[in-house]
Amino acid sequence: MSRKPPIQDPDDRGLKVSQPKEDAAGIPGVTAALKQSYQQMGVKRTALTLLKVNQKDGFDCPGCAWPEGSKRHVAEFCENGAKAVAEEATTRRIDRDFFARHTVEELAGRSDYWLGQQGRLTEPMLKRRGSAHYEPVGWDEAFALLGEELRALATPDEAAFYTSGRTSNEAAFAYQLFARAFGTNNLPDCSNMCHESSGSALNETIGVGKGSVLLEDLYQADLILVVGQNPGTNHPRMLSALEEAKRNGARIIAVNPLPEAGLMRFKNPQRPSGIVGTGTALADLFLQIRVNGDLALFQAFNRLLIESDAIDHAFVEEHTAGFPEFEAHVRKVDWDEVLEATGLTRAQIDEALQEVLRADKIIVCWAMGLTQHKNSVPTIREVVNFLLLRGNIGRPGAGVCPVRGHSNVQGDRTMGIYEKPGKAFLDALSAEFGFEPPREPGLDTVDTIRAMREGGVKVFLGMGGNFVRATPDSAVTEAAMRSCRLTAQVSTKLNRSHAVTGEQALILPTLGRTEEDGGRFVSVEDSMGLVHASRGRLAPASERLLPEVAIVSRLARAVLGDGLGWAEMERDYDVIRDHVSRVVPGFADFNVRIRRPGGFTLPHAPRDKREFPTASGKANLTVNELRVLRVPEGRLLLQTVRSHDQYNTTIYGMDDRYRGIKAGRRVVFVHPDDLTGLGLRDAEMVDLVSEWADGVERRAPGFRIVAYPTARGCAAAYFPETNVLVPLDSTADVSNTPTSKSVVVRLEPA
Ligand SMILES: Nc1nc2c(c(=O)[nH]1)N[C@H]1C(S)=C(S)[C@@H](COP(=O)(O)OP(=O)(O)OC[C@H]3O[C@@H](n4cnc5c(=O)[nH]c(N)nc54)[C@H](O)[C@@H]3O)O[C@H]1N2
Ligand SMILES: Nc1nc2c(c(=O)[nH]1)N[C@H]1C(S)=C(S)[C@@H](COP(=O)(O)OP(=O)(O)OC[C@H]3O[C@@H](n4cnc5c(=O)[nH]c(N)nc54)[C@H](O)[C@@H]3O)O[C@H]1N2
Ligand SMILES: [Mo]
């Protein structure tokens, strides 16, 4: 293995700002991806690895959850997928000497970038009570310690079992089974911070908490609204799908406070013309909405649709409930409030409406721009109202399309990673395994932190992810984490959650998606409900790694014994899949169907049969109160976003190419006119100070102002650096998702 140069903690001193880009990908995308891949893996391993991404005999890209489609390119990955793969398939390694050299406290002082760049974890490590260092520990001793601490709890509910979204279906099913056999529904997951609002709103309105479109539908749509989403960075392969939709005649409206590259123009790196040409202008119309203005926008659309009687009466009559109340409500929508909330003009809304009226088949796609606000659930319900009014759910070319984050976050939920499991699921689990699972709802992510803070959760196990860094209110969360008796992380790479720990801490290193798992394969579910196999090909980063399933199985045996057949599940994942086929609807003959090329699609009643499994048996039109989020004088509404060089809390590099940022992350994007109004200037250094109802001042020091064409009154900065500003108790109604996209801040000259 070649020695790589040491990595420094970045200090933002070399920060450079240039004009933002309109177009995405093309040659710079390909070169950026290859550069990072070569740095992490070398040339030969890069070629070998990237050719297996998203191929039918290869592994599922650990990047996003965008589906692969049936026509695969030889290189079915994107710039950022390649970076996600390189991050995992890196040849850099962390060994026991590393932990001897660095105290845990010292690691807690390092940047996210530095921690991630150290390479793959290679053996289980233990930080004993009172010790300043991690030291090597055998797997058996690690499980014995975890088992001892779990058994010592006054009740199983004093433990929390977190999951991030890369965990396979097989590992996720085993993990939730263990938690419930142990006796708790405390299964918080990253979804609680991500698409929980979508699931809540969709379950209530259409009866299924998942998207209702397939890739083919996008190709048939007349109009696609891309709302609160930055696919050029976070779902780059979606741009190819949008491009194809456009070639088939679709129109696209982008709704976003930021003019994100890629939505504005896209050069497809998988087509020769895309690499050199000027690319496709994807969005036909860009609505530069104010942060949190979407409920008002969709309510305005709905008022106009009703007033112009442009609704599908037959569909509304036959398939929906609640029309009279809904109609009475939206007829009263106040135009002044709409214009204030959206920051748009009446003419812009009318122009968008014309696109809507011309379109027979409409799809709305969205991501975090809609899900991380106080009113996220009502907002998404209003999007559903909009689609239902013209019968745009349950027919080809139309529907709801929440675009998921982690590659298997949707599958993990399907497998029962959920703190509020339904009765049917628990009954099935009970019938299959012969024990009575706990029936009380468990803790979600925010409630887990609250419980830790109050001493109610003492043992924390993370199946992937970076709990202390991904969650809000960093100072509060870190103190909560430190108050635990034991925190344990099943991880591929080092991150801050290994450095900010309970009294005792375990690092349990595991195989990644790209790695060979003793000839076994796992399965994942993409954003559109397609389940397919994933098989790693690379030699594991170390001989001492265990697959996630083995970690769960051995832990379960250490705590509960082998009554449920854990050893068999660990040896043969078909055994787990047979259990799944009897417990989870839609998985009959799982072991047969998963071996078919391309896998299989899960049933979705609204999409497949126009049936809505809600309490009313119909799709519910809902009444949603519009409350304009007014920001006090001299304050801005801050949204926290991803740069082009990060995967959530994993920082690949210090650039955000499309937004013109180089070699730094502590920047805050503000409209030039707002700067003038605030008496501030481009390039000035400021502290971001968040103000919230609890009166506590939360401060993120030392940000460089970047004058930027965002919507007026709004600001944007990168997470996780800004998580310190998001109050733990500021969460979305119903879904309890932290409001990471609407933080009221003032900018104080530093
Ligand atoms: N390369 C890469 N890929 C990723 C990830 C990554 O970090 N890196 N993360 C993965 C995960 S877990 C997820 S959840 C997804 C996230 O995918 P995105 O949701 O695209 O990610 P964000 O960076 O949070 O971008 C939010 C977008 O919403 C816009 N927005 C913010 N507030 C509002 C609003 O009030 N209204 C509207 N209309 N728009 C708003 C922002 O300007 C931005 O364009 O990506 C997944 N894929
Ligand atoms: N302010 C703000 N906060 C946010 C968001 C935001 O937009 N703004 N977005 C939220 C969203 S959408 C999400 S999804 C969460 C993300 O929250 P998490 O899922 O908790 O965080 P990640 O950064 O994705 O986790 C990265 C870690 O996962 C581990 N890992 C990677 N691959 C594997 C694997 O195959 N197996 C195992 N066991 N471990 C692996 C590595 O050790 C890596 O360090 O953050 C949320 N936090
Ligand atoms: Mo996410």
Side-chain angles (χ1 to χ4, degrees):
M1 218 176 293
S2 60
R3 276 238 165 264
K4 300 284 179 342
I7 296 123
Q8 304 296 322
D9 265 315
D11 60 9
D12 280 21
R13 259 180 303 191
L15 182 92
K16 281 199 215 54
V17 178
S18 56
Q19 281 300 312
K21 308 267 178 301
E22 277 211 339
D23 54 354
I27 282 176
V30 176
T31 35
L34 289 179
K35 193 175 135 213
Q36 299 210 2
S37 302
Y38 293 156
Q39 275 170 5
Q40 295 285 356
M41 311 192 260
V43 174
K44 192 167 151 216
R45 193 169 162 94
T46 298
L48 210 94
T49 311
L50 294 184
L51 284 176
K52 285 290 178 201
V53 185
N54 291 342
Q55 296 304 312
K56 284 178 179 157
D57 65 339
F59 57 87
D60 181 63
C61 177
C64 72
W66 188 256
E68 271 83 55
S70 47
K71 294 178 287 177
R72 291 175 202 217
H73 299 272
V74 182
E76 179 65 44
F77 58 89
C78 63
E79 176 190 349
N80 277 347
K83 289 189 217 160
V85 168
E87 190 71 22
E88 179 175 303
T90 179
T91 49
R92 294 181 181 137
R93 298 286 179 272
I94 296 180
D95 53 18
R96 51 180 72 183
D97 295 344
F98 172 89
F99 289 106
R101 278 197 309 278
H102 302 284
T103 64
V104 180
E105 200 185 312
E106 188 198 332
L107 294 177
R110 296 292 192 163
S111 70
D112 301 299
Y113 174 72
W114 188 91
L115 293 170
Q117 291 295 312
Q118 301 309 310
R120 287 286 301 274
L121 296 159
T122 51
E123 62 179 322
M125 302 295 298
L126 167 65
K127 188 196 95 65
R128 295 182 197 275
R129 192 173 271 114
S131 169
H133 286 269
Y134 275 101
E135 59 195 77
V137 64
W139 279 107
D140 288 343
E141 197 191 329
F143 292 127
L145 172 67
L146 246 172
E148 202 177 293
E149 288 291 343
L150 286 172
R151 280 191 308 265
L153 296 173
T155 112
D157 290 330
E158 287 183 345
F161 299 97
Y162 177 69
T163 316
S164 171
R166 279 201 187 161
T167 295
S168 66
N169 287 332
E170 289 73 9
F173 185 82
Y175 191 48
Q176 64 79 33
L177 176 64
F178 163 66
R180 295 189 167 114
F182 175 62
T184 184
N185 283 315
N186 287 351
L187 285 157
D189 69 347
C190 67
S191 208
N192 298 144
M193 299 178 273
C194 185
H195 267 292
E196 195 70 63
S197 303
S198 308
S200 302
L202 292 176
N203 257 321
E204 183 186 338
T205 53
I206 65 169
V208 179
K210 300 182 184 181
S212 75
V213 303
L214 301 173
L215 218 38
E216 294 70 50
D217 292 307
L218 280 165
Y219 304 148
Q220 295 171 46
D222 298 320
L223 177 65
I224 302 169
L225 289 97
V226 181
V227 189
Q229 199 199 337
N230 179 19
T233 284
N234 298 310
H235 304 91
R237 285 179 299 118
M238 179 178 173
L239 296 183
S240 310
L242 291 176
E243 194 192 29
E244 180 157 351
K246 260 194 100 91
R247 276 207 302 279
N248 296 344
R251 307 272 294 172
I252 295 174
I253 301 180
V255 185
N256 204 306
L258 297 172
E260 305 283 34
L263 281 177
M264 311 316 271
R265 192 171 289 279
F266 171 53
K267 296 181 187 169
N268 190 339
Q270 283 162 0
R271 285 194 298 131
S273 66
I275 294 191
V276 289
T278 52
T280 317
L282 280 183
D284 298 282
L285 184 65
F286 170 44
L287 295 180
Q288 186 162 39
I289 198 163
R290 195 173 156 260
V291 166
N292 196 48
D294 306 86
L295 172 53
L297 175 67
F298 282 92
Q299 217 153 63
F301 284 155
N302 291 339
R303 174 176 167 169
L304 292 170
L305 289 176
I306 284 181
E307 280 176 356
S308 46
D309 197 27
I311 57 181
D312 180 342
H313 288 285
F315 176 85
V316 168
E317 180 70 21
E318 191 185 340
H319 293 290
T320 71
F323 183 75
E325 300 81 359
F326 165 71
E327 179 188 21
H329 179 73
V330 293
R331 276 187 187 277
K332 290 191 306 239
V333 173
D334 183 286
W335 275 108
D336 291 337
E337 289 198 338
V338 167
L339 300 186
E340 184 189 356
T342 59
L344 300 170
T345 63
R346 179 64 198 265
Q348 284 175 303
I349 296 176
D350 284 337
E351 192 186 350
L353 185 80
Q354 292 312 310
E355 297 281 354
V356 172
L357 293 175
R358 274 197 297 271
D360 175 38
K361 293 165 286 181
I362 304 181
I363 290 175
V364 182
C365 302
W366 72 88
M368 297 305 100
L370 285 200
T371 64
Q372 300 174 333
H373 303 279
K374 181 160 189 346
N375 61 357
S376 283
V377 176
T379 300
I380 297 163
R381 283 190 205 130
E382 201 63 40
V383 170
V384 174
N385 287 340
F386 167 77
L387 289 168
L388 289 174
L389 274 184
R390 286 166 65 82
N392 274 313
I393 294 186
R395 63 188 168 94
V400 282
C401 184
V403 181
R404 304 278 162 175
H406 274 296
S407 53
N408 198 40
V409 62
Q410 184 158 319
D412 291 346
R413 199 41 86 76
T414 307
M415 291 297 116
I417 301 292
Y418 190 25
E419 76 283 356
K420 296 191 275 294
K423 181 175 181 306
F425 179 85
L426 294 179
D427 288 348
L429 205 62
S430 165
E432 176 72 8
F433 292 99
F435 72 90
E436 181 49 30
R439 299 280 170 168
E440 284 292 298
L443 301 171
D444 65 9
T445 292
V446 164
D447 286 340
T448 295
I449 299 167
R450 289 176 176 145
M452 280 178 180
R453 180 175 61 181
E454 284 139 28
V457 161
K458 299 188 169 78
V459 175
F460 174 91
L461 176 61
M463 182 56 68
N466 183 1
F467 191 79
V468 300
R469 207 56 183 140
T471 49
D473 228 347
S474 312
V476 173
T477 299
E478 292 193 355
M481 197 76 167
R482 289 188 198 278
S483 73
C484 290
R485 285 178 58 87
L486 171 66
T487 54
Q489 310 287 345
V490 179
S491 313
T492 51
K493 301 283 298 271
L494 189 67
N495 64 45
R496 194 165 170 82
S497 299
H498 305 117
V500 178
T501 70
E503 293 166 28
Q504 313 162 85
L506 279 167
I507 297 176
L508 308 173
T510 191
L511 293 180
R513 212 39 93 60
T514 52
E515 287 162 324
E516 168 91 275
D517 179 4
R520 290 171 286 245
F521 69 90
V522 293
S523 65
V524 294
E525 174 184 342
D526 69 28
S527 196
M528 294 179 175
L530 208 117
V531 182
H532 62 91
S534 173
R535 190 190 289 274
R537 300 285 181 178
L538 296 177
S542 143
E543 282 162 10
R544 272 160 298 183
L545 304 182
L546 282 181
E548 289 178 344
V549 171
I551 293 176
V552 176
S553 150
R554 293 185 196 190
L555 171 61
R557 277 180 283 162
V559 181
L560 308 166
D562 202 15
L564 298 182
W566 289 105
E568 275 304 288
M569 290 191 248
E570 176 181 338
R571 194 180 55 77
D572 181 359
Y573 298 170
D574 279 3
V575 175
I576 303 181
R577 284 186 285 264
D578 280 338
H579 286 306
V580 171
S581 71
R582 290 183 293 262
V583 172
V584 186
F587 283 83
D589 289 327
F590 193 3
N591 271 312
V592 175
R593 290 193 297 156
I594 195 62
R595 288 176 163 84
R596 292 187 191 143
F600 59 95
T601 305
L602 290 174
H604 186 292
R607 180 194 67 208
D608 303 336
K609 304 183 281 189
R610 271 206 166 170
E611 283 174 14
F612 298 93
T614 59
S616 65
K618 306 223 172 187
N620 292 315
L621 289 161
T622 53
V623 171
N624 303 298
E625 271 332 305
L626 170 61
R627 282 192 203 90
V628 184
L629 206 173
R630 294 197 174 87
V631 174
E633 188 63 29
R635 310 299 190 262
L636 298 170
L637 197 51
L638 173 82
Q639 55 143 328
T640 58
V641 285
R642 293 153 172 81
S643 81
H644 195 63
D645 268 2
Q646 76 183 82
Y647 194 93
N648 300 336
T649 68
T650 300
I651 311 301
Y652 304 135
M654 303 302 288
D655 302 344
D656 191 6
R657 196 172 77 244
Y658 296 157
R659 299 196 185 107
I661 304 299
K662 236 182 145 41
R665 290 179 51 84
R666 293 186 87 84
V667 291
V668 57
F669 301 96
V670 185
H671 194 282
D673 295 347
D674 285 323
L675 287 179
T676 310
L678 294 169
L680 295 166
R681 278 172 296 105
D682 179 64
E684 200 172 332
M685 295 300 291
V686 288
D687 289 357
L688 308 182
V689 186
S690 100
E691 297 175 357
W692 193 64
D694 61 3
V696 176
E697 273 202 356
R698 296 172 173 82
R699 183 177 296 263
F703 281 70
R704 180 202 191 276
I705 293 179
V706 175
Y708 199 85
T710 181
R712 288 295 307 272
C714 304
Y718 304 129
F719 102 99
E721 290 83 347
T722 46
N723 256 337
V724 62
L725 300 172
V726 185
L728 182 65
D729 293 321
S730 173
T731 61
D733 296 339
V734 187
S735 66
N736 208 24
T737 295
T739 58
S740 322
K741 294 287 190 281
S742 33
V743 187
V744 175
V745 293
R746 63 170 196 269
L747 273 44
E748 260 185 23

